[in-house]
Amino acid sequence: MNTQKLLFILLIALVIVFIFGIIAGQRGKGAPPPKVSVSDLSASSLNSLFSTRLNLGELRPATGTPAACLDSGNRVFVVPANRSCAYDIGQSAMPTRKLGLHLVTAATTVDVDLRQNRKDAFDVAQTLPGDEPLMLSIFNADDNKTARLTLTCRSNPPKDCRVTIQ
């Protein structure tokens, strides 16, 4: 048997052991894992390889929301205390964009809500951690719709929330 055939057989065996190891690791963890379509995961994963930083010009204040909170020159959102700011995110030539958000105002929290309007992209609804940035992957929405980013400042006593854009 030549060396190339032996290496090929060894590689196939490692792949099989790896797959069975993942399956075995998932057993006994409580509720069964949710059904996930492999095509959905592959589309999201492949698109995220070709991402760039979000161009702030693609953010437009959503209709029916208070005045804009974005200071694009300083790359910061200033959200009034106990209020929300919402932005529609336009389409881009890039399949995926990245947006890093970092809360810099002490003793406040910011709820981040990102609705992607795309079946193979995850929506995000979480509280912005104060100690490290939150990285969002923003996909182009389906059917020329827009994604929507909403930031809600929670503060007592009332003070504005400053969220830097990375």
Side-chain angles (χ1 to χ4, degrees):
M1 190 180 283
N2 73 28
T3 307
Q4 290 178 343
K5 286 183 183 179
L6 184 61
L7 287 175
F8 182 73
I9 291 171
L10 182 61
L11 179 64
I12 296 297
L14 285 173
V15 169
I16 291 170
V17 167
F18 179 75
I19 291 171
F20 280 111
I22 290 174
I23 293 170
Q26 292 298 319
R27 293 178 181 246
K29 289 192 173 188
K35 299 289 183 193
V36 177
S37 169
V38 174
S39 63
D40 289 347
L41 289 176
S42 64
S44 296
S45 298
L46 290 176
N47 284 339
S48 66
L49 290 176
F50 304 105
S51 64
T52 185
R53 193 162 74 172
L54 177 72
N55 178 354
L56 297 182
E58 296 170 358
L59 292 172
R60 293 180 310 277
T63 55
T65 61
C69 305
L70 175 62
D71 179 357
S72 58
N74 292 320
R75 298 188 57 82
V76 67
F77 288 104
V78 180
V79 184
N82 302 314
R83 305 267 315 266
S84 296
C85 291
Y87 290 88
D88 290 330
I89 303 171
Q91 300 285 346
S92 172
M94 296 302 292
T96 309
R97 280 99 17 107
K98 300 283 184 192
L99 176 64
L101 301 174
H102 186 222
L103 178 62
V104 294
T105 308
T108 63
T109 60
V110 173
D111 296 332
V112 177
D113 187 52
L114 175 64
R115 300 291 167 206
Q116 301 268 13
N117 288 322
R118 186 179 173 111
K119 68 175 186 168
D120 65 347
F122 296 108
D123 290 339
V124 174
Q126 76 176 60
T127 300
L128 188 62
D131 56 347
E132 62 184 62
L134 171 66
M135 293 303 294
L136 299 172
S137 292
I138 302 168
F139 294 84
N140 284 330
D142 288 334
D143 300 326
N144 292 325
K145 296 178 184 174
T146 58
R148 177 159 293 178
L149 174 67
T150 305
L151 302 173
T152 304
C153 176
R154 307 264 184 233
S155 176
N156 191 12
K159 63 179 169 179
D160 294 348
C161 297
R162 294 182 59 83
V163 179
T164 60
I165 301 168
Q166 301 186 343

